[in-house]
């Protein structure tokens, strides 16, 4: 923390901290969570965004579900928001969109860095802005986390392709935004293989009917969305499709739920590109799956001794399960 404080003191203006960490590895997850809690204690008024790498579903670490439950529940207490990248989804992008045959960690990290850059590179936060946003971290939190019970953020970026394909491709805003909107409502992580059958619920439905319809139709309800557009003709884009009230939870006005950032400057060789950071139900299934697998292991006391010998008691596990069950229930009932 002394090193962090030295760096923080050099800043003319400190908006907050972006912590990049694993969620399942022993050191990355435990140490990352400890650092986050320390930052919260030392800088209680600064924004804290944790960029979390979600483990492969078939991971190599037998206790990864325990680690994930412990990490996620503790981060939920101290972090302002969790921006989640799923290893399986990024791996798929590398294979299917980037056409990489032998995928390395460097390839995975490159895709993640591209997606993060598509959001955090400078952009104008309003139509009338004369200068780039000076606090993108704060602006992002303000736009996407209206309630402390809902902190899960997902990131999608379009288009993404290999450099060879990019040289022969052209893009139009209506097509890019149509795909990005459908990726949002159908909870697709990339533009290939989108389920085009998913539709928003009919306006005016009672909450109970909307809930059961969402479950059967696999519709992904949003709390808030941030769309960032970069490249040519960016001022002429129509984002009406993202402003429909049916996309959002009933307790937030759709006008307040959508934030738009723009810049005419192209990003990373893409003439036009769009990214979407969404606070939605996108992570419900992965969280539910991790909690379910961890609970089965815990119920049979599998590997619990590896934690109790380091001071983590069974009651601590129970508290963590309770925290995440509440998160699952809150997102389910949107």
């Amino acid at each position: 923390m002394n090193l962090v404080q030295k760096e923080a003191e050099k800043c003319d203006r400190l908006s907050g901290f972006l912590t990049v960490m694993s969620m399942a590895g022993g050191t990355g997850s435990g140490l990352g969570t400890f650092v986050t809690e320390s930052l919260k204690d030392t800088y209680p008024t600064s924004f804290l965004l944790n960029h979390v790498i979600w483990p492969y579903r078939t991971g190599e670490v037998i206790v990864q579900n325990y680690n994930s439950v412990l990490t996620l529940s503790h981060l939920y207490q101290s972090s302002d928001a969790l921006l989640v990248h799923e290893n399986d989804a990024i791996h798929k992008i590398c294979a299917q969109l980037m056409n990489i045959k032998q995928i390395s960690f460097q390839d995975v990290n490159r895709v993640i860095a591209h997606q993060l850059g598509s959001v955090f590179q400078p952009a104008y936060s309003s139509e009338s802005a004369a200068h780039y946003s000076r606090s993108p971290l704060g602006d992002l939190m303000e736009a996407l986390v209206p309630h402390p019970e809902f902190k899960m953020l997902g990131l999608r970026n379009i288009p993404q392709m290999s450099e060879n394909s990019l040289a022969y491709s052209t893009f139009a805003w209506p097509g890019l935004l149509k795909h990005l909107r459908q990726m949002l409502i159908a909870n697709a992580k990339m533009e290939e293989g989108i389920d085009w059958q998913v539709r928003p619920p009919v306006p005016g439905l009672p909450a109970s009917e909307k809930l059961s319809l969402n479950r059967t139709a696999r519709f992904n309800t949003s709390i808030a969305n941030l769309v960032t557009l970069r490249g040519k003709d960016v001022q002429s884009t129509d984002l009406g499709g993202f402003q429909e009230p049916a996309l959002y939870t009933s307790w937030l006005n759709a006008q307040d739920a959508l934030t738009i950032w723009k810049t005419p400057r192209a990003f990373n060789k893409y003439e036009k590109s769009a990214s979407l950071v969404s606070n939605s139900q996108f992570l419900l299934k992965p969280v539910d799956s991790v909690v379910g697998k961890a609970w089965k292991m815990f119920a049979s006391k599998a590997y619990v001794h590896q934690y109790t010998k380091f001071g983590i008691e069974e009651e601590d596990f129970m508290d963590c399960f309770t925290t995440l069950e509440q998160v699952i229930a809150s997102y389910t009932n949107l």
Side-chain angles (χ1 to χ4, degrees):
M1 289 308 298
N2 287 338
L3 291 173
V4 172
Q5 285 174 308
K6 282 180 183 176
E7 291 301 317
E9 285 165 9
K10 295 177 186 176
C11 297
D12 293 330
R13 191 169 185 269
L14 179 65
S15 174
F17 299 92
L18 172 62
T19 308
V20 183
M21 57 182 282
S22 154
M23 202 180 75
T27 307
S29 56
L31 182 62
T33 305
F34 177 77
V35 168
T36 302
E37 290 172 342
S38 301
L39 287 171
K40 186 72 174 176
D41 291 339
T42 311
Y43 299 94
T45 58
S46 294
F47 291 110
L48 272 180
L49 176 63
N50 283 76
H51 176 238
V52 179
I53 307 300
W54 198 270
Y56 288 104
R57 277 193 291 273
T58 53
E60 296 174 9
V61 183
I62 192 69
V63 292
Q64 73 173 29
N65 294 310
Y66 279 164
N67 290 344
S68 297
V69 165
L70 292 167
T71 301
L72 201 54
S73 59
H74 280 83
L75 287 180
Y76 229 78
Q77 311 300 325
S78 51
S79 182
D80 294 309
L82 311 177
L83 180 59
V84 179
H85 268 109
E86 298 171 72
N87 266 338
D88 287 301
I90 300 300
H91 201 92
K92 218 171 171 182
I93 289 172
C94 288
Q96 295 183 21
L97 299 185
M98 312 299 285
N99 295 320
I100 301 170
K101 303 303 178 197
Q102 292 184 307
I103 299 166
S104 66
F105 282 122
Q106 188 175 11
D107 296 320
V108 170
N109 287 338
R110 192 176 287 119
V111 170
I112 292 172
H114 173 88
Q115 293 199 353
L116 288 174
S118 72
V119 176
F120 287 111
Q121 282 284 303
Y124 296 106
S125 54
S126 70
E127 294 285 350
S128 58
H131 304 284
Y132 285 135
S133 166
R134 292 188 64 198
S135 178
L137 203 59
D139 291 345
L140 181 135
M141 300 285 196
E142 186 181 344
L144 293 172
V145 192
H147 191 290
E149 185 69 30
F150 302 94
K151 298 182 177 184
M152 302 279 204
L153 308 181
L155 173 53
R156 298 164 178 83
N157 176 261
I158 184 172
Q160 276 197 275
M161 58 183 63
S162 65
E163 284 200 22
N164 291 340
S165 301
L166 184 58
Y168 302 100
S169 302
T170 55
F171 307 103
W173 283 119
L176 288 175
L177 295 176
K178 182 181 178 182
H179 277 75
L180 190 62
R181 179 182 180 274
Q182 193 64 23
M183 287 165 69
L184 168 66
I185 65 176
N187 197 16
K189 305 300 189 300
M190 59 183 190
E191 63 258 46
E192 198 171 288
I194 301 172
D195 185 349
W196 289 94
Q197 303 304 312
V198 179
R199 293 280 183 271
V202 179
L205 275 180
S208 58
E209 282 186 43
K210 183 181 176 185
L211 198 61
S212 66
L213 191 68
N214 287 1
R215 285 171 182 160
T216 53
R218 303 179 304 283
F219 176 74
N220 179 40
T221 302
S222 295
I223 294 172
N225 290 311
L226 165 65
V227 178
T228 306
L229 307 178
R230 300 178 183 277
K232 284 176 63 179
D233 307 320
V234 79
Q235 298 304 333
S236 63
T237 51
D238 177 13
L239 286 154
F242 288 90
Q243 293 172 323
E244 291 178 31
L247 270 58
Y248 299 96
T249 184
S250 57
W251 50 264
L252 203 62
N253 188 312
Q255 300 299 318
D256 300 324
L258 177 67
T259 302
I260 301 161
W261 293 352
K262 295 179 179 179
T263 176
R265 186 182 289 273
F267 175 67
N268 208 8
K269 300 179 183 175
Y270 289 86
E271 181 188 70
K272 295 170 183 165
S273 64
S275 61
L276 170 72
V277 187
S278 176
N279 188 342
S280 68
Q281 296 173 314
F282 82 104
L283 207 62
L284 253 180
K285 273 189 181 176
V287 174
D288 202 27
S289 173
V290 161
V291 171
K293 288 174 183 174
W295 178 255
K296 280 181 183 174
M297 287 175 63
F298 183 73
S300 60
K301 299 289 188 283
Y303 301 100
V304 173
H305 66 281
Q306 293 193 7
Y307 293 85
T308 53
K309 69 181 181 183
F310 289 106
I312 298 174
E313 303 298 332
E314 291 188 14
E315 290 78 12
D316 298 322
F317 273 101
M318 291 300 294
D319 289 342
C320 293
F321 281 121
T322 303
T323 298
L324 294 188
E325 288 292 354
Q326 179 57 54
V327 171
I328 291 168
S330 298
Y331 272 100
T332 300
N333 290 318
L334 282 176

